[in-house]
Amino acid sequence: MSPEPVILYQGPRLRIRQFHSRDAQALFTMHRDPRVRAHLADDAPLDEPRVAHRFIAHMQLFYLQYPGTGIWCAERAQPPDSDTIADALRAHAEGDIDAVLLAKLVQPRWVFCGWFSLVHLEEDPQILEIGARLAPQAWDGTLALDGGEWLLQHAFGALLQTHVLGHCAPTNRSAAHCLQVLGFGCQGMATYNGTQARRYRLDQAQWQAWHTQSRRQRQRAVLSVSPA
């Protein structure tokens, strides 16, 4: 039996952990969604079960070979429905369950929602790039920003990077907006995984200054200027 995966980050809405073999079905199911495939910058057939299993096995080795970097499983918090919470509170009030069991019953369930990545750039292994690939169910809200902020804290903190890159398809406005809110500046077009992508860069000093502002202030600042 495979050991339980290491959790790298857990917030109120998002959890980031190492991939486990049991994630394969959710992984290839996500890649079968045409909305996801429309924005891919690579052609890896992760919509095939055998490829998804092989990908996870490779990542488990990658975690050991390159500590601190990798592609990690993302999970979103899914609170129990209101009926479940009401039943649990009623049972606790009537003395049928104790406080420990009550806490377990009302806590959110963690549901697969894609991945976040921090890996070495293929063309220059000294440089790290951040990335994310989320299922459509996680496109609304702030999960991409939650994960991106943790990736940057990790890159500039534990990994002592001076700058980090990010890439997205030219048509992917949501990804471009997310990178800008995180503090990245557009560097123009660049060859990426055999195709053309928009490249973004964030220096450590800029990140430190930018993140003294609240997320809402950063979002307003990005919206106030023309898109890159």
Side-chain angles (χ1 to χ4, degrees):
M1 179 179 293
S2 301
E4 285 302 302
V6 174
I7 296 173
L8 297 101
Y9 166 80
Q10 182 167 320
R13 295 177 293 262
L14 176 69
R15 183 166 77 177
I16 299 174
R17 60 168 173 80
Q18 295 177 347
F19 269 104
H20 190 277
S21 58
R22 62 173 172 262
D23 300 315
Q25 181 171 346
L27 186 63
F28 69 71
T29 298
M30 179 181 77
H31 284 87
R32 290 179 176 177
D33 192 314
R35 293 170 294 177
V36 173
R37 300 195 63 79
H39 295 297
L40 299 185
D42 61 66
D43 58 358
L46 285 166
D47 55 331
E48 299 178 11
R50 62 179 180 84
V51 178
H53 280 285
R54 191 165 63 237
F55 167 84
I56 291 174
H58 171 74
M59 287 315 310
Q60 290 173 335
L61 291 175
F62 191 97
Y63 301 144
L64 298 175
Q65 295 172 343
Y66 305 99
T69 62
I71 300 175
W72 299 296
C73 179
E75 296 176 307
R76 60 188 176 92
Q78 181 174 295
D81 59 65
S82 57
D83 288 342
T84 298
I85 294 176
D87 289 343
L89 291 173
R90 187 179 305 111
H92 180 257
E94 294 174 356
D96 294 332
I97 62 175
D98 60 18
V100 174
L101 181 54
L102 173 65
K104 290 182 179 180
L105 291 174
V106 301
Q107 69 182 1
R109 183 168 62 94
W110 292 103
V111 181
F112 176 90
C113 66
W115 77 43
F116 286 93
S117 63
L118 186 63
V119 296
H120 297 277
L121 194 66
E122 185 175 352
E123 65 195 60
D124 189 344
Q126 301 301 313
I127 299 175
L128 291 179
E129 63 166 331
I130 72 167
R133 185 173 296 181
L134 299 178
Q137 296 84 352
W139 288 357
D140 295 333
T142 61
L143 293 183
L145 291 173
D146 290 348
E149 288 173 356
W150 175 79
L151 290 173
L152 292 173
Q153 290 170 0
H154 184 58
F156 292 128
L159 301 183
L160 302 176
Q161 295 296 296
T162 59
H163 68 280
V164 176
L165 297 183
H167 297 85
C168 68
T171 57
N172 195 340
R173 292 188 175 183
S174 295
H177 176 76
C178 180
L179 287 168
Q180 291 173 308
V181 172
L182 290 171
F184 284 81
C186 184
Q187 302 290 295
M189 300 298 293
T191 301
Y192 182 73
N193 288 336
T195 187
Q196 288 293 298
R198 200 177 296 277
R199 173 169 289 179
Y200 290 81
R201 171 171 171 150
L202 177 61
D203 293 329
Q204 184 186 38
Q206 168 64 15
W207 173 75
Q208 290 176 332
W210 183 246
H211 281 259
T212 59
Q213 303 180 60
S214 69
R215 183 181 290 180
R216 179 170 295 183
Q217 288 175 315
R218 287 180 273 133
Q219 289 173 321
R220 287 175 176 171
V222 170
L223 291 172
S224 69
V225 298
S226 300

